[in-house]
Amino acid sequence: TLSSTGRRPTHLVKRTALPGQLDNEDQDRVLASLCAETAAGAIADLGTYWVNSVRRYALKGSPYLRPPCGGALTRLVLTREDACQIPPDSECKSLAVEVTLRADHDRSVCDFDVVCALDGRTRFFSGFAHCVAVKTGLRFDGVVIPPLPMSLTEREEMMNRYKAAKQRPAIPVVKPLYGENQAPDTLETQGSFLHLTVEEKADEEDDQLASALSRSSSSSRSIVVPVKEACADAGPVLADIVRTACGLMSGCHRPISKVSSIEAELVPFPPKVALVISAKVAGRNEVLVSVWASKQAVVRARVLFET
């Protein structure tokens, strides 16, 4: 579901059904991993739409007159709501993830708000995410993104948040070594079509502009990035990271506790690449996880648990 206060949508809601018959311990782990996976997918969808949204009107020589490019998640920070109480399993049926484009930075980064709600009303996790535009192909070179109209006050507020995010301590890398308190595993990602169809009613101004540019005016706008050339879907990898962290914390005979925050830093990586995930307990309530593609750490994550 897409919505917008202007001409181009800046808000996306992605819903998914929840598995039933889970005990309280499994329910929390499943919901936390599902929040990370669904949020990553929603950010990629809305980011992909936005970075391609002005191609229809781009003139010769414009940096936006280019083949379709993909939106790649580079940072995700989700924090559990303090007052969140998971309803009984019989009452919890769906997860709704809302992502809202709030700002653009350095002509290269989309800044999103993220809210994960159970049954669309109980806020579970919330936070923010960053996404960049990348070309298709093996290198995933970055490209410029369209600006988001904002007031000076809004831009200053979002710039301060962006600077604070960049100043957060870097997530340490966990080398893929087998040893005590580590849970290495090998997994294979599956790339997915970054495909989004936006239904918008073309108004008279749209028709006039399209006519002046010798472009067709259509109420259905579709953007497709070829799956074989697009970067991989990071959602399933983030879900594996959360599950790995939960399993490692439990395996170290720590008291079972709930996931309180998920933070990940990512770089684009190709689909169907062999990945190695390595994790370690870094403190009483902290698990660090790194995902490696060959010799490069493509994802670094920190999962915190309630004490």
Side-chain angles (χ1 to χ4, degrees), residues 120-139:
R121 60 179 184 273
T122 304
R123 288 169 65 103
F124 187 35
F125 279 89
S126 62
F128 67 91
H130 296 158
C131 170
V132 298
V134 293
K135 296 179 180 179
T136 56
L138 296 178
R139 294 180 59 183

Side-chain angles (χ1 to χ4, degrees), residues 41-279:
I43 294 160
D45 282 345
L46 184 55
T48 298
Y49 165 72
W50 183 261
V51 301
N52 292 284
S53 61
V54 296
R55 291 179 64 247
R56 184 167 175 252
Y57 302 117
L59 301 174
K60 185 177 181 180
S62 167
Y64 308 117
L65 189 62
R66 61 197 179 203
C69 53
L73 179 66
T74 57
R75 183 188 295 271
L76 177 64
V77 177
L78 295 177
T79 303
R80 191 188 188 99
E81 295 287 335
D82 292 335
C84 176
Q85 296 294 330
I86 300 178
D89 182 65
S90 59
E91 299 179 8
C92 191
K93 302 298 183 183
S94 65
L95 172 71
V97 174
E98 302 180 28
V99 292
T100 304
L101 178 60
R102 292 292 309 280
D104 64 281
H105 305 291
D106 303 329
R107 300 188 67 199
S108 61
V109 179
C110 294
D111 195 338
F112 297 91
D113 280 345
V114 184
V115 176
C116 305
L118 302 176
D119 290 334
R121 60 179 184 273
T122 304
R123 288 169 65 103
F124 187 35
F125 279 89
S126 62
F128 67 91
H130 296 158
C131 170
V132 298
V134 293
K135 296 179 180 179
T136 56
L138 296 178
R139 294 180 59 183
F140 304 124
D141 294 329
V143 294
V144 297
I145 63 173
L148 177 69
M150 304 171 62
S151 68
L152 292 177
T153 302
E154 290 173 329
R155 185 161 292 279
E156 182 178 4
E157 174 189 351
M158 296 306 299
M159 180 55 69
N160 289 337
R161 186 174 85 167
Y162 180 62
K163 289 180 179 178
K166 292 177 66 176
Q167 293 172 356
R168 295 171 71 98
I171 301 175
V173 172
V174 182
K175 294 183 178 180
L177 300 176
Y178 293 83
E180 185 179 359
N181 290 343
Q182 290 187 317
D185 195 5
T186 301
L187 53 96
E188 189 172 281
T189 63
Q190 297 293 327
S192 61
F193 282 104
L194 293 175
H195 174 89
L196 189 63
T197 300
V198 183
E199 297 294 339
E200 295 180 293
K201 183 179 180 181
D203 57 20
E204 184 178 351
E205 183 179 345
D206 275 330
D207 291 335
Q208 292 175 353
L209 182 57
S211 177
L213 298 175
S214 299
R215 310 284 173 82
S216 61
S217 178
S218 172
S219 61
S220 178
R221 305 174 187 178
S222 180
I223 299 165
V224 180
V225 179
V227 64
K228 292 183 179 180
E229 300 176 4
C231 61
D233 180 5
V237 178
L238 291 177
D240 278 320
I241 285 174
V242 175
R243 287 190 289 264
T244 297
C246 292
L248 185 57
M249 183 64 72
S250 176
C252 290
H253 307 291
R254 304 294 174 89
I256 300 301
S257 57
K258 300 176 181 178
V259 175
S260 62
S261 71
I262 303 164
E263 180 179 0
E265 299 171 357
L266 311 89
V267 297
F269 55 94
K272 290 193 175 295
V273 64
L275 298 178
V276 174
I277 181 169
S278 186

